[in-house]
Amino acid sequence: MDAGPMDAGSMVRDDFRWFLATWFPAAFATALFDQTALPSVAAGIESTGRILDEPYPRAIRSAAADQLVFLAAEPERREEVARLIRLHRDVKGTSTTGVRYSALHPESWNWILVSTFIMYRGAFVTVTGHRPSPEVDQTLWEYFWDLTGPLQLDDDRFKLPERHDDAMAWYDGVVERRCERTAVFDQVDRFARSPRLPPGIPRPVATVWTMTAAPVMGRAISTLGYGLMRPNLRARVGIPWGTRERVEFTVLTTLLRVAHKTLPRRVSFSPLGYNRWRYEELTASYKALGLTSFAPDPTSS
C-alpha cells in the first residue's frame, strides 16, 4: 500500500478495491437478475439451466470468478479471463421460443458487464457510506473499466464507453428498446423471494426452512438486490418498489453499514481478499525496514 498521501479519487479507488474483497456485495446479488430481462441473455441462461437448476453452486462459481478477476495475481487473473471468454463461446443457439442467442454477442456481453458494475457500485456506495457524485461514479467506473479491460471484446467498435454517464445511457437505452419480463426472470424472481433449501442442510428441516427462514431471507435478499436496480429496469419488469420496500431497504442497509464498520477484516473479507490484504500489509512493513541509501553513515565515523 502506498504510504503517501492520496487524493480523493485515489482514496475512493482504494476503498472500492478493498470493498470488492469483502463478502458484502453478495448480499445484493439479486441485483444481477436484471441480466435476465434481456431476451437474448435469458435464452442463453435457459439453455444451460445452471442458474435455475443449481442456483447455489452457480452463485459460488460466479463469485469465485469475480474474486479472481478483481484480486488475483496477474498470471491467475489472465488465466481466469481467458477461461471465461473461451467457455462462453459455447453458449449460442436458438431457444425453444425462437430467440437467437450468443453469450459473446456484443450487446449481451456488454450488458452483463455493465449490470455487474451497477451491482458492485451500488453495493459500495450503500454499504460504505460514500456519497454518490459524478466524480465518484466516474472514478468507480474507470477502476472497473480497467479491471474488466481484458474481458472486453477485441473489436474497438464494441468497447465499453470510457465515461460513466455514457455507459449508463447505453444501459438505459437497452432497457427501453429490448428489455422485458422474461420467463427466466419470473423463475429467478420466485427463487429470490422464496429460496430453496441450501445444499448440506438436512432434509428434516425443510419444512421449518420453507415456513420460516425462506420467506424472511427471500424478503431480505430480494429487497437488497432490487433496491440497487435502476428504476427504469424495475419498472420495465414490474418489480414493486413503494414505501414499504424503501423502508426495508434502509433498515437492511443500515445493518450492513454497521457490520462493515465494526467487523474485523478476517471476518468481513473473503479468503482471497484477506490473503491479498495481508500480503500487501506485510510487503509494506518489510519495505519500511530498508535503508534509503547503502552509502556509509557519516555519523558512525
Side-chain angles (χ1 to χ4, degrees):
M1 290 180 160
D2 185 0
M6 294 191 293
D7 60 28
S10 297
M11 291 178 65
V12 170
R13 286 173 67 97
D14 199 56
D15 287 349
F16 188 45
R17 181 191 181 208
W18 292 119
F19 180 76
L20 296 177
T22 72
W23 297 108
F24 290 103
F28 301 89
T30 54
L32 298 174
F33 289 172
D34 65 343
Q35 296 170 11
T36 66
L38 187 63
S40 56
V41 172
I45 290 172
E46 188 175 29
S47 73
T48 63
R50 294 185 186 94
I51 195 172
L52 303 173
D53 300 333
E54 304 173 350
Y56 292 112
R58 169 67 163 74
I60 291 171
R61 289 194 298 269
S62 295
D66 282 358
Q67 289 281 289
L68 288 170
V69 172
F70 295 156
L71 295 165
E74 196 58 29
E76 288 75 27
R77 185 168 174 268
R78 286 198 304 268
E79 181 181 349
E80 180 62 11
V81 167
R83 184 186 72 88
L84 290 172
I85 294 174
R86 183 179 71 253
L87 295 184
H88 276 91
R89 290 195 183 105
D90 298 332
V91 183
K92 56 185 177 181
T94 304
S95 73
T96 55
T97 57
V99 176
R100 298 186 63 183
Y101 62 90
S102 170
L104 292 183
H105 184 278
E107 184 180 64
S108 299
W109 191 252
N110 286 345
W111 172 256
I112 289 174
L113 286 175
V114 176
S115 162
T116 302
F117 168 77
I118 290 172
M119 187 276 280
Y120 279 112
R121 175 264 178 201
F124 173 72
V125 298
T126 300
V127 173
T128 64
H130 275 279
R131 181 170 298 177
S133 69
E135 294 75 22
V136 167
D137 286 340
Q138 181 61 26
T139 296
L140 298 181
W141 176 248
E142 288 175 0
Y143 184 67
F144 182 83
W145 204 93
D146 290 343
L147 286 175
T148 59
L151 275 171
Q152 295 185 40
L153 299 173
D154 289 336
D155 193 324
D156 286 341
R157 292 176 299 171
F158 306 122
K159 286 286 187 185
L160 292 174
E162 295 188 23
R163 299 293 305 172
H164 170 268
D165 290 351
D166 294 337
M168 294 304 102
W170 177 85
Y171 177 95
D172 291 339
V174 175
V175 171
E176 296 305 317
R177 294 191 312 272
R178 306 271 286 115
C179 287
E180 61 187 57
R181 189 177 180 102
T182 64
V184 174
F185 184 90
D186 280 336
Q187 291 173 296
V188 296
D189 179 56
R190 284 196 296 272
F191 171 77
R193 296 184 186 280
S194 184
R196 300 175 195 169
L197 189 71
I201 295 181
R203 283 290 172 186
V205 305
T207 301
V208 177
W209 170 269
T210 302
M211 296 183 65
T212 59
V216 174
M217 181 179 293
R219 185 72 190 183
I221 64 175
S222 60
T223 299
L224 286 169
Y226 293 161
L228 296 192
M229 284 184 177
R230 289 175 73 79
N232 57 345
L233 191 283
R234 282 201 304 259
R236 193 77 171 180
V237 297
I239 296 172
W241 196 255
T243 301
R244 177 184 174 183
E245 287 78 13
R246 288 192 291 270
V247 169
E248 290 176 350
F249 183 79
T250 299
V251 171
L252 290 168
T253 54
T254 298
L255 293 174
L256 289 175
R257 191 173 296 184
V258 171
H260 178 261
K261 289 181 178 179
T262 58
L263 289 177
R265 289 185 178 89
R266 185 176 288 279
V267 175
S268 64
F269 276 30
S270 70
L272 181 59
Y274 187 75
N275 178 279
R276 188 74 179 181
W277 177 77
R278 284 293 296 151
Y279 169 81
E280 295 192 16
E281 286 285 295
L282 289 170
T283 300
S285 67
Y286 288 175
K287 287 181 177 180
L289 298 174
L291 297 174
T292 57
S293 172
F294 282 169
D297 187 349
T299 61
S300 62
S301 56

